[in-house]
């Protein structure tokens, strides 16, 4: 979910699409054996005014300088930073923070399954001296801010550098050790990073157990998966041929099998969350384009790669089958971007959720505000306020849109976004 890691994906998304629709258009997915899950009952609720707080590569938190401090000072700096950020969110009128608790194969909570994240101390498996998720929950709830635990389900590492592999290997003597050393048969390389193979049933069970651990032991208000399901590039593809041979019987194409694998994960996690705590919302934040109209009559009037074909995530189907409490598509383009117009996609997603109980939150590109772009100049006009204003007003005008989530928290303090931040504070804080 980070701008750094998302650059390549966005480039793919707005690239020209192939003229021939994928074969998978004519291959139906197998039916789900069980009836749809029961979603959290509707209750009076305020509109979502959220923000993603990213921990991968320390993009938003923790402060880079805190990592090398002495242990007691490190804890103080990291906790003070979280408090300051929550105070700012409260002042802005933001009511929900999506906290990245699993940026890769490590944890930002006291886990019996995953080693501690190196984002906290610089070393995988090193105890940071406190529990960041527990601390954030306490401080956020005291301020009336909800917390959704944000998971990257399949990523094990952000790179394949020798130093990273040595760090992962060293966890073999720790408790818990990394999945990299415990289950080497699950590990693949894709997009120049280590990932889990989504086609292995035990992998899906393992991911589900991780979510269950958090939901069972922490007072989170929600659980969210980001858009990294199948991730690969032409230069660094995911080699799951052997997995397909083992588990792909009955599927006409590998693409159909891959989509079914992500469907199974979503269904399994959804049922688990609802069994453990029916009050916890489960959602996904996918790439903004499901499919293009040129490839599918049900798709949006957009051009470029799409989640259905690139991440093998049939997010529209997940909504239709009632497997989510909410969906938060990342619509990171302005009204004027012809290949993926903000208003076209917002209205398309509103149409998708309308017949369902699934709530719709729109992800907005705060990270683009004030940044010069030949392709998207609207982000810099008058500090980006007119574009942001149009997006927020459209969200609030459509009854099927239940709110907005900003990507990402660190940009609330950047010089180029300050006019936009003042606008948001004036609009949102006045409605508290």
């Amino acid at each position: 979910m980070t701008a750094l890691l998302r650059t390549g994906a966005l480039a793919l998304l707005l690239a020209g699409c192939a003229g021939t629709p994928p074969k998978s258009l004519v291959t139906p997915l197998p039916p789900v054996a069980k009836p749809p899950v029961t979603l959290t009952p509707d209750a009076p609720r305020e509109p979502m005014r959220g923000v993603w707080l990213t921990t991968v590569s320390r993009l938003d938190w923790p402060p880079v300088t805190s990592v090398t401090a002495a242990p007691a000072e490190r804890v103080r700096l990291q906790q003070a930073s979280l408090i300051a950020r929550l105070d700012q969110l409260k002042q802005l009128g933001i009511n929900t923070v999506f906290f990245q608790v699993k940026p890769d194969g490590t944890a930002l909570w006291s886990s019996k399954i995953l080693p501690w994240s190196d984002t906290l101390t610089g070393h995988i498996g090193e105890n940071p001296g406190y529990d960041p998720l527990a601390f954030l929950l306490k401080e956020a709830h005291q301020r009336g801010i909800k917390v959704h635990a944000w998971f990257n389900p399949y990523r094990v590492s952000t790179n394949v550098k020798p130093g990273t592999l040595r760090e992962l290997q060293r966890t073999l003597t720790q408790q818990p050790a990394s999945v990299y050393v415990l289950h080497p048969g699950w590990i693949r390389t894709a997009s120049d990073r280590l990932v889990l193979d989504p086609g292995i049933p035990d992998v899906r069970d393992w991911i589900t157990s991780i979510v269950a651990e958090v939901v069972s032991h922490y007072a989170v208000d929600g659980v969210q998966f980001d858009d990294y399901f199948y991730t690969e590039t032409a230069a660094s593809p995911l080699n799951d041929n052997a997995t397909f041979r083992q588990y792909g019987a009955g599927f006409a194409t590998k693409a159909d099998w891959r989509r079914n694998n992500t469907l199974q994960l979503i269904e399994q996690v959804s049922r688990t969350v609802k069994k453990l705590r029916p009050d916890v919302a489960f959602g996904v934040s996918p790439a903004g384009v499901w499919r293009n109209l040129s490839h599918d009559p049900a798709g949006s009037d957009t051009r470029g790669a799409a989640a259905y074909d690139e991440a093998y995530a049939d997010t529209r189907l997940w909504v239709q089958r009632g497997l989510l409490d909410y969906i938060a598509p990342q619509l990171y383009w302005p009204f004027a971007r012809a290949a993926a117009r903000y208003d076209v996609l917002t209205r398309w997603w509103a149409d998708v959720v309308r017949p369902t109980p699934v709530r719709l939150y729109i992800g907005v590109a705060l990270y683009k505000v004030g940044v010069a772009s030949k392709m998207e100049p609207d982000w810099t006009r008058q500090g980006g306020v007119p574009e942001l204003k149009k997006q927020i007003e459209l969200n609030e005008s459509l009854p099927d849109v239940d709110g907005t989530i900003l990507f990402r928290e660190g940009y609330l303090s950047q010089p180029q976004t300050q006019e936009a931040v003042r606008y948001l504070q004036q609009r949102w804080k006045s409605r508290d």
Side-chain angles (χ1 to χ4, degrees), residues 18-35:
T20 304
K23 293 180 181 179
S24 53
L25 270 175
V26 297
T27 308
L29 285 166
V32 174
K34 299 177 182 179

Side-chain angles (χ1 to χ4, degrees), residues 90-93 424-432:
K90 182 69 175 178
Q91 287 300 312
L92 289 173
L424 288 171
Q425 182 173 16
Q426 182 182 31
R427 186 179 190 94
W428 285 351
K429 186 62 177 176
S430 64
R431 303 190 179 189
D432 280 357

Side-chain angles (χ1 to χ4, degrees), residues 31 68 70 83-84 87 89 92 102 132-133 158 209 229 237 244 252 256 259 262 280 286 297 302 354 429:
T68 56
I83 288 173
D87 285 342
L89 299 185
L92 289 173
K102 182 184 177 295
L133 177 56
T158 58
S209 74
F229 294 101
F244 181 46
D256 286 331
R259 272 185 289 274
T262 55
V280 171
T302 49
R354 187 170 300 122
K429 186 62 177 176

